[in-house]
């Protein structure tokens, strides 16, 4: 009798305290769950072994990346439904040890063990990064982490990001308007950064984490500045240099493979750091802020564009997201925007403006997912099915997280005010809009 889905539904209800909000279709063809709901497809009982050996998010991620699990129906809806039961149980959720004191939970776990079959743990998918015991954020470990994420292949990033090759939140006027293209929204974001920095011809700009050179090219071409862009990715640097040459801007843009901690040729009139500070790490953040402060001339501006998490009541309980850490951004850490502002101020900056553009990132991520899905077969050929699945899940889950205010993204404009206290900022804020 084919009844694996019904048994799974009952076992998950025991473990989670409520029936799963999605349908389940198991490897034996059986189905169970709410009619019309999205379907969680368990292709192989190996998925259960992954969950038993790594309960929670990492076990689910391994099953997804390996192709043992899939979703039929709207991906965003499914992730949102599952988040409440699995990923977003909150600080008051029971630990596994506490949960196992419950006889019903112990019974459910024994049932999963019987249903899972072989007791041996499956090997993690090859796409999983080997996590260090502690994120030290040395120059060597950061270089390795950046390579894991960004050296996937420029052709793959072209599929996801489109011609703009900007891998950070775009800035939308209207998602449904006549000019609501990803390329235009990314151009508007780059222009917004330039205006906030007050760039003018002849100035020097340092672009920290320059990616594929889009910010450097826009600032040099549209605002007449000289730019130094630094990245730890060899592939990004090669691609950016080629673009700079094609634009005829080699006399104004230098792209370096260099750690931001090794930049010594200040002072700069302005610094842009767009989607880079998430890689710095909490323990190194003041070092990051101090370093950028020292590289700016008095009166110079910093635009720090950074993803933020919600603060926790007990910050000592914060843990890096297991899926992101293992498959996407090894060593990446998020912090609340208030902590970022405090650290910048501790370094000596005067923070002049903080703008949340959370909804803009959700729109951007949905466009990236659409691009990936539209060219799925080519993406799989370029990176392999596991890596492509990582990116689809990562971007869709992040879109839902931004939409539900589980994470945010902020542009923090700060000034290295001179001893006179004259900031050089306009009396009326946000004249860049």
């Amino acid at each position: 009798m084919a009844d694996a889905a019904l048994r799974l539904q009952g076992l998950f209800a025991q473990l989670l305290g409520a029936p799963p909000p999605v349908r389940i279709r198991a490897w034996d063809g059986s189905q169970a769950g709410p009619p019309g709901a999205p379907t969680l497809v368990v292709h192989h009982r190996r998925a259960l072994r992954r969950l038993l050996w790594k309960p929670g998010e990492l076990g689910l991620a391994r099953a997804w990346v390996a192709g043992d699990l899939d979703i039929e129906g709207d991906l965003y809806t499914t992730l949102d439904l599952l988040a409440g039961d699995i990923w977003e149980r909150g600080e008051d959720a029971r630990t596994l040890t506490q949960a196992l004191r419950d006889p019903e939970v112990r019974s459910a776990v024994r049932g999963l063990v019987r249903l899972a079959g072989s007791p041996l743990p499956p090997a993690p998918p090859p796409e999983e990064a080997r996590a260090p015991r502690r994120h030290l954020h040395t120059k060597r470990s950061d270089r390795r982490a950046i390579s894991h994420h960004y050296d996937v292949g420029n052709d793959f990033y072209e599929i996801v990001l489109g011609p703009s090759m900007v891998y950070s939140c775009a800035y939308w006027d209207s998602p449904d308007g006549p000019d609501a293209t990803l390329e235009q929204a990314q151009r508007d974001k780059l222009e917004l950064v330039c205006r906030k920095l007050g760039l003018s011809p002849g100035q020097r700009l340092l672009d920290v984490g320059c990616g594929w050179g889009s910010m450097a090219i826009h600032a040099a071409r549209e605002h007449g500045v000289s730019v130094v862009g630094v990245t730890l990715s060899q592939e990004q640097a090669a691609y950016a240099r080629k673009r700079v040459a094609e634009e005829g801007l080699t006399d104004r843009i230098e792209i370096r493979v260099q750690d931001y901690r090794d930049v010594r040729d200040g002072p700069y009139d302005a610094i842009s750091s767009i989607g880079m500070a998430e890689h710095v790490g909490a323990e190194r953040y003041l070092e990051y802020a101090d370093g950028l402060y020292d590289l700016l001339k008095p009166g110079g501006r910093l635009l720090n564009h950074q993803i933020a998490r919600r603060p926790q009541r007990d910050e000592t309980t914060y843990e890096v997201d297991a899926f992101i850490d293992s498959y996407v951004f090894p060593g990446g850490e998020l912090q609340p925007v208030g902590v970022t502002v405090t650290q910048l101020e501790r370094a000596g900056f005067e923070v002049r403006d903080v703008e949340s553009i959370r909804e803009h990132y959700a729109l951007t991520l949905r466009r990236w997912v659409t691009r990936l899905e539209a060219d799925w077969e080519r993406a799989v050929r370029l990176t392999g099915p596991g890596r492509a699945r990582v990116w689809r899940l990562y971007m869709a889950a992040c879109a839902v997280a931004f939409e539900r205010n589980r994470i945010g993204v902020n542009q923090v404009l700060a000034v290295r005010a001179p001893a006179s206290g004259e900031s050089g900022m306009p009396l009326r804020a946000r004249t860049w809009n």
Side-chain angles (χ1 to χ4, degrees), residues 127 129 131-132 135 137 141-142 144-150 157 167-168 236 275-276 278-280 307 320-334 361 365 368 387 390-391 394-395 398:
E127 292 80 10
H135 293 127
H137 288 281
S141 67
D142 282 354
R144 187 167 56 245
I146 292 298
S147 178
H148 175 89
H149 186 76
Y150 292 104
Y157 277 102
Y167 183 36
S168 59
Q236 282 187 334
M276 178 270 175
E278 297 89 341
H279 297 284
V280 169
I307 299 172
V320 176
D321 183 280
F323 168 59
I324 300 292
D325 194 39
S326 298
Y327 287 96
V328 187
F329 290 111
E333 295 179 67
L334 302 183
Y361 219 153
L365 284 156
W368 289 344
R387 183 77 68 185
V390 165
W391 277 82
Y394 148 63
M395 293 190 296
C398 285

Side-chain angles (χ1 to χ4, degrees), residues 76 360-370 395 398-399 402:
Y76 302 100
H360 294 259
Y361 219 153
L363 292 168
T364 305
L365 284 156
R366 282 180 175 261
R367 297 298 179 97
W368 289 344
V369 172
T370 298
M395 293 190 296
C398 285
F402 280 111

Side-chain angles (χ1 to χ4, degrees), residues 152-161 165 212 235 239 375 378-379 382-383:
V152 174
N154 294 328
D155 291 344
F156 174 79
Y157 277 102
E158 286 179 342
I159 291 175
V160 176
L161 305 180
M165 288 298 283
W212 292 271
E235 289 198 26
Y239 191 98
D375 208 355
R378 180 166 174 257
L382 288 170
T383 67

Side-chain angles (χ1 to χ4, degrees), residues 54-386:
K54 282 293 181 181
E57 184 175 333
L58 185 56
L60 284 168
R62 286 176 172 177
W64 170 271
V65 175
D68 299 331
L69 281 180
D70 211 339
I71 290 171
E72 287 184 1
D74 186 78
L75 179 60
Y76 302 100
T77 300
T78 309
L79 292 173
D80 199 24
L81 288 170
L82 291 174
D85 284 329
I86 298 170
W87 289 290
E88 300 292 335
R89 305 208 75 183
E91 296 175 47
D92 297 327
R94 295 178 299 176
T95 66
L96 181 61
T97 303
Q98 291 170 326
L100 288 174
R101 293 172 185 166
D102 187 329
E104 288 193 10
V105 173
R106 289 201 302 272
S107 174
V109 170
R110 286 194 295 269
L112 278 176
V113 170
R114 288 191 294 270
L115 197 56
S118 169
L120 297 177
E127 292 80 10
E128 183 170 314
R130 188 175 68 179
R133 285 184 296 177
R134 185 162 173 250
H135 293 127
L136 298 176
H137 288 281
T138 63
K139 292 177 183 179
R140 180 182 178 183
S141 67
D142 282 354
R143 185 167 58 251
R144 187 167 56 245
I146 292 298
S147 178
H148 175 89
H149 186 76
Y150 292 104
D151 292 344
V152 174
N154 294 328
D155 291 344
F156 174 79
Y157 277 102
E158 286 179 342
I159 291 175
V160 176
L161 305 180
S164 64
M165 288 298 283
V166 180
Y167 183 36
S168 59
C169 175
Y171 195 63
W172 302 86
D173 180 28
S174 168
D176 302 317
D179 297 323
T181 65
L182 178 61
E183 290 70 35
Q184 183 60 47
Q186 288 292 16
R187 185 192 181 283
D188 288 348
K189 190 275 299 297
L190 297 176
E191 182 62 17
L192 176 69
V193 171
C194 291
R195 289 182 178 275
K196 286 183 175 182
L197 289 172
L199 298 182
S200 59
Q203 290 185 328
R204 295 184 76 214
L205 168 69
L206 174 64
D207 187 27
V208 181
C210 66
W212 292 271
S214 299
M215 175 63 191
I217 290 170
H218 183 89
R221 185 182 59 211
E222 304 298 331
H223 295 269
V225 298
S226 296
V227 188
V228 171
V230 296
T231 176
L232 294 178
S233 168
Q234 295 282 354
E235 289 198 26
Q236 282 187 334
Y239 191 98
R241 288 167 183 153
K242 182 174 182 293
R243 293 179 71 193
V244 168
E246 290 172 349
E247 291 279 347
L249 294 170
T250 53
D251 60 328
R252 278 190 275 162
I253 299 175
E254 179 187 0
I255 302 294
R256 304 174 184 167
V257 178
Q258 185 178 35
D259 193 292
Y260 71 94
R261 288 165 284 197
D262 293 330
V263 178
R264 297 285 185 269
D265 59 346
Y268 288 88
D269 298 281
I271 298 175
S272 55
S273 178
I274 306 172
M276 178 270 175
E278 297 89 341
H279 297 284
V280 169
E283 293 186 8
R284 298 276 188 176
Y285 202 89
L286 186 56
E287 177 186 0
Y288 161 80
D290 284 338
L292 299 191
Y293 184 87
D294 291 341
L295 285 167
L296 273 174
K297 74 172 190 180
R301 299 182 191 180
L302 164 70
L303 192 286
N304 189 80
H305 175 120
Q306 183 177 342
I307 299 172
R309 62 176 173 85
R310 303 289 295 170
Q312 296 184 346
R313 292 178 182 177
D314 180 5
E315 280 292 320
T316 63
T317 65
Y318 168 68
E319 294 182 357
V320 176
D321 183 280
F323 168 59
I324 300 292
D325 194 39
S326 298
Y327 287 96
V328 187
F329 290 111
E333 295 179 67
L334 302 183
Q335 60 185 13
V337 63
V339 175
T340 296
V341 168
T342 297
Q343 296 287 61
L344 291 173
E345 289 182 329
R346 286 180 63 192
F349 283 105
E350 179 188 9
V351 173
R352 298 292 306 208
D353 186 80
V354 179
E355 182 178 6
S356 171
I357 52 176
R358 173 173 62 83
E359 293 85 353
H360 294 259
Y361 219 153
L363 292 168
T364 305
L365 284 156
R366 282 180 175 261
R367 297 298 179 97
W368 289 344
V369 172
T370 298
R371 291 186 58 86
L372 176 60
E373 291 175 340
D375 208 355
W376 181 256
E377 292 184 2
R378 180 166 174 257
V380 168
R381 287 198 304 270
L382 288 170
T383 67

